[in-house]
Amino acid sequence: MKILCVCGMGFGSSLLLKMTAERALQKKGVSAEVEATDIGTASSVKADLILTNNEFASQLQGGSTVVKAIKNMASEDEVAEAIDEFMNA
């Protein structure tokens, strides 16, 4: 599984979200490749799941990749819930 964490520049909140997702995945015992990137690059990167904020989620939806909006990028519980929703869909 590949998870893409997206923000405007690809090195601020997406990096925080990447670290949060990695901790959530580790607690679940799930192996995944997690990458941080910017909104301009995100649509050209193949991934199974995109985690981002509400603003960028609306811009990225409509493709073949599942997009989940995260309100608090430091919340392991919220990110874990988004990953669970994706895995159980």
Side-chain angles (χ1 to χ4, degrees):
M1 172 170 58
K2 183 171 181 174
I3 299 174
L4 207 56
C5 300
V6 178
C7 73
M9 299 298 286
F11 53 78
S13 54
S14 64
L15 212 50
L16 173 62
L17 185 54
K18 176 183 183 278
M19 292 186 298
T20 305
E22 288 172 337
R23 285 193 307 271
L25 289 163
Q26 186 176 21
K27 282 185 178 177
K28 293 179 175 302
V30 174
S31 178
E33 178 184 352
V34 184
E35 186 177 316
T37 192
D38 64 278
I39 183 74
T41 305
S43 58
S44 64
V45 177
K46 185 162 177 56
D48 300 300
L49 173 63
I50 293 175
L51 300 175
T52 188
N53 63 23
N54 282 331
E55 177 186 351
F56 295 136
S58 62
Q59 295 178 40
L60 293 168
Q61 288 175 339
S64 60
T65 303
V66 174
V67 179
K68 296 287 184 183
I70 304 295
K71 291 181 183 170
N72 181 354
M73 296 188 175
S75 170
E76 281 184 41
D77 290 339
E78 184 179 358
V79 172
E81 185 177 317
I83 293 169
D84 283 344
E85 287 175 8
F86 168 74
M87 292 177 65
N88 296 325

